[in-house]
Amino acid sequence: MTVYEDALATYEPVFGLETHVELGTVSKMFCGCSTKFGAGPNTHTCPVCLGLPGALPVANEKAIESTIRIGLALNCSIAEWCRFARKNYFYPDMPKNFQTSQYDEPLCVEGYLDVPYGDQVYRVGIERVHLEEDTGKNTHVGTSGRIHGADYSLVDYNRAGIPLVEIVTKPVPGAGAVAPEVAKAYVTALRDILRTLGVSDVRMEQGSLRCDVNTSLNRPGAEWGTRSETKNVNSLRSVERAVRSEIIRQAEVLNGGGRVKQETRHFQETTGTTRDGRSKEEATDYRYFPEPDLVPMAPDPAWVEQLKADLPELPAARRDRLRDELGLSNDDLLKMTNAGVVDLVGATVDAGAAGGEARNWWMGYLTQKANESEHEAADLPITPAQVARVIELVASGELTTALARQAVDGVLDTGSEVDAVVAERGLKVVSDTGALEQAADEAIAANPDVAHKVRSGKLPAVGALVGAVMKATRGQADAAAVKEILLHKLRVDA
Ligand code: ZN
Ligand code: MN
């Protein structure tokens, strides 16, 4: 039994997630500063987002609208009246010494998201969706890279005040040994919804979507245990690893007769484990109080109804439609869901590809590429439209499957368009029979043993010769044609 299986034999895990999403608005939450990523330090700042005396905030209507749309897509009730609150604490990346957030009066409450995993659907309760602002960014200069031992620290306030939506789940019990995978599936499903809504670019690697992962263990039938909170988990894979490593760590603590501390922990990408941080603050430590500089929000119910009516087709509905249109079995759909390619296949079909081909590419070669680079398929630098173009070139006979894979490799390596890669790398089917005949002769001459086998009736052996010719022509020949030429030369009837 592995350590993990051992832990699961004794304890039941409960997880929960707090997800922060940077909205893709043009301007910041409470001022007109640009939200554009990558500008020079402190160039997108003003008295409001620098917290200068006397500066007054004005709420960004687009950000409120986006938050309501997220709430609606997550089946939440929208508050008819709510307020911002000050969350008071000092940190150098937050010049006001408080974060404008929401506390006891969030904009959206009591929703859920149905998350398919394995052959089950897990209903993840959504406790709240609220609106707040991001902080600036500290850079600690020195060998440690951390504040302790830094030579000096720099702070960039460009990110301070960018609208941030926080989505908090209820605790999710009942997933047992697949709790890590279900946690990851939840974030995947949430990201798909946010992408479909067009409210954020949801790039985990750039920090526009980041998760805090809560995990606890209890013995069957007992009360839920004390939870730990793992901060700023920045990839889907890390969400899964964070839950798994906390299950193992907490089981060891409990088995040793110890108690799990309520604390925040930091996920370490290199080891896939967490290390301890500070002991967790209580809400009262932040001295929340209603923000006096902003008027309450009271979204007009008619406006909310309109936003609801205008929601795009959400991923779950889209999945069902794709299943019906492509005639997929539930099992197929499930495999595609687990591989994270359903929406990619859908978008490839929308871009003009045949369903079967789109499915084969995403479930086959592209999933393989994603695994090799430890990415999710969705994070591969190739778009559904580009995949559809590759499929089109194969269908028209301009590329063989082997060449098409080279074209895909080229797009992944260079970020160029498919046709540019095809032109640059000279990818085209060799239909010049003379060239193929010559390559076939060379392959036979170089592999007399194989040729002898084929001549004496062991036809499958011809595969090695086909491979040699394909290699010699850099995959540019049509494998079926090559086989025919070889068999003809060896005077064997297929
Ligand atoms: Zn500003
Ligand atoms: Mn927050």
Side-chain angles (χ1 to χ4, degrees):
M1 220 193 280
T2 64
V3 197
Y4 182 72
E5 287 163 347
D6 197 48
L8 268 298
T10 318
Y11 304 103
E12 291 175 345
V14 178
F15 72 86
L17 282 133
E18 294 171 25
T19 307
H20 284 94
V21 189
E22 263 185 13
L23 294 179
T25 52
V26 177
S27 58
K28 290 188 181 179
M29 187 61 228
F30 299 114
C31 62
C33 289
S34 167
T35 57
K36 228 179 161 95
F37 185 77
N42 296 306
T43 52
H44 294 164
T45 55
C46 74
V48 173
C49 56
L50 289 177
L52 300 188
L56 287 172
V58 178
N60 181 332
E61 182 181 0
K62 190 74 191 172
I64 296 169
E65 179 185 296
S66 294
T67 308
I68 293 175
R69 292 176 70 231
I70 293 169
L72 291 169
L74 294 173
N75 306 292
C76 289
S77 319
I78 309 304
E80 289 177 10
W81 191 95
C82 68
R83 283 183 295 190
F84 286 102
R86 288 190 182 183
K87 182 180 185 182
N88 296 282
Y89 66 100
F90 169 78
Y91 210 65
D93 60 10
M94 203 178 58
K96 296 187 295 187
N97 281 350
F98 61 84
Q99 180 190 34
T100 307
S101 180
Q102 294 196 276
Y103 179 48
D104 50 351
E105 300 162 300
L107 195 46
C108 320
V109 292
E110 292 295 323
Y112 63 85
L113 174 57
D114 284 334
V115 178
Y117 182 79
D119 51 10
Q120 285 197 49
V121 174
Y122 296 85
R123 176 158 291 193
V124 174
I126 304 293
E127 171 109 17
R128 57 191 281 145
V129 177
H130 77 237
L131 188 50
E132 56 187 37
E133 59 181 335
D134 210 344
T135 56
K137 188 176 183 335
N138 289 327
T139 305
H140 304 297
V141 182
T143 45
S144 71
R146 299 171 58 193
I147 195 164
H148 303 286
D151 295 328
Y152 58 93
S153 296
L154 299 167
V155 59
D156 176 6
Y157 292 115
N158 283 353
R159 201 179 64 183
I162 288 187
L164 205 57
V165 169
E166 181 173 330
I167 301 158
V168 183
T169 71
K170 298 185 183 219
V172 184
V178 295
E181 287 86 352
V182 175
K184 176 184 167 192
Y186 160 77
V187 180
T188 308
L190 179 63
R191 190 179 65 163
D192 288 346
I193 287 178
L194 296 167
R195 189 181 278 137
T196 302
L197 292 173
V199 294
S200 167
D201 64 12
V202 291
R203 285 175 195 253
M204 294 188 85
E205 73 285 0
Q206 277 186 8
S208 50
L209 179 75
R210 38 193 205 258
C211 299
D212 301 338
V213 184
N214 294 314
T215 315
S216 72
L217 295 182
N218 58 270
R219 286 187 183 270
E223 271 180 44
W224 289 345
T226 305
R227 68 192 161 91
S228 66
E229 179 180 359
T230 306
K231 295 297 256 186
N232 289 332
V233 181
N234 285 335
S235 74
L236 291 172
R237 190 163 159 267
S238 298
V239 170
E240 181 181 333
R241 293 169 85 205
V243 176
R244 187 179 304 273
S245 75
E246 270 306 280
I247 289 173
I248 293 170
R249 186 190 67 83
Q250 292 185 16
E252 279 168 358
V253 170
L254 295 170
N255 288 340
R259 288 171 54 187
V260 173
K261 276 190 289 184
Q262 182 167 340
E263 62 181 353
T264 56
R265 300 184 65 84
H266 299 281
F267 184 72
Q268 295 172 292
E269 287 289 341
T270 43
T271 58
T273 57
T274 65
R275 71 175 159 76
D276 57 343
R278 53 192 157 84
S279 64
K280 174 74 180 156
E281 298 78 11
E282 300 290 335
T284 50
D285 296 332
Y286 288 116
R287 302 295 191 271
Y288 282 99
F289 63 85
E291 169 57 59
D293 285 344
L294 285 160
V295 291
M297 288 182 277
D300 182 350
W303 180 48
V304 173
E305 273 311 307
Q306 192 56 49
L307 290 177
K308 190 172 187 176
D310 291 345
L311 286 180
E313 181 184 32
L314 294 174
R318 188 177 188 195
R319 261 196 297 278
D320 290 348
R321 185 169 58 84
L322 196 68
R323 182 193 56 208
D324 297 345
E325 281 177 12
L326 300 185
L328 297 170
S329 67
N330 275 326
D331 194 48
D332 268 343
L333 188 70
L334 206 61
K335 283 189 187 134
M336 288 165 60
T337 304
N338 292 344
V341 301
V342 175
D343 289 319
L344 296 165
V345 171
T348 307
V349 171
D350 289 347
E357 289 301 311
R359 180 187 173 284
N360 290 346
W361 274 96
W362 283 109
M363 286 298 283
Y365 193 62
L366 289 163
T367 289
Q368 182 192 325
K369 283 278 152 186
N371 290 340
E372 280 167 17
S373 60
E374 299 195 345
H375 275 88
E376 301 298 321
D379 295 332
L380 287 174
I382 189 166
T383 64
Q386 289 170 323
V387 176
R389 177 62 182 152
V390 169
I391 292 170
E392 187 186 351
L393 290 172
V394 176
S396 66
E398 284 165 77
L399 293 181
T400 60
T401 304
L403 286 174
R405 289 182 173 194
Q406 293 182 43
V408 166
D409 291 346
V411 173
L412 295 175
D413 292 344
T414 64
S416 303
E417 286 302 323
V418 176
D419 289 279
V421 170
V422 167
E424 274 161 26
R425 304 198 171 186
L427 304 176
K428 58 172 188 285
V429 176
V430 175
S431 46
D432 173 357
T433 337
L436 291 184
E437 298 254 352
Q438 195 193 330
D441 285 337
E442 284 167 10
I444 290 169
N447 301 281
D449 299 355
V450 182
H452 178 71
K453 271 192 202 163
V454 179
R455 281 203 184 93
S456 59
K458 290 192 181 109
L459 290 192
V462 79
L465 296 175
V466 174
V469 174
M470 295 303 285
K471 199 171 171 193
T473 56
R474 289 173 42 234
Q476 286 173 259
D478 175 33
V482 170
K483 187 175 172 189
E484 206 168 297
I485 290 171
L486 283 163
L487 291 176
H488 183 74
K489 283 188 179 295
L490 298 168
R491 303 191 186 286
V492 183
D493 292 322

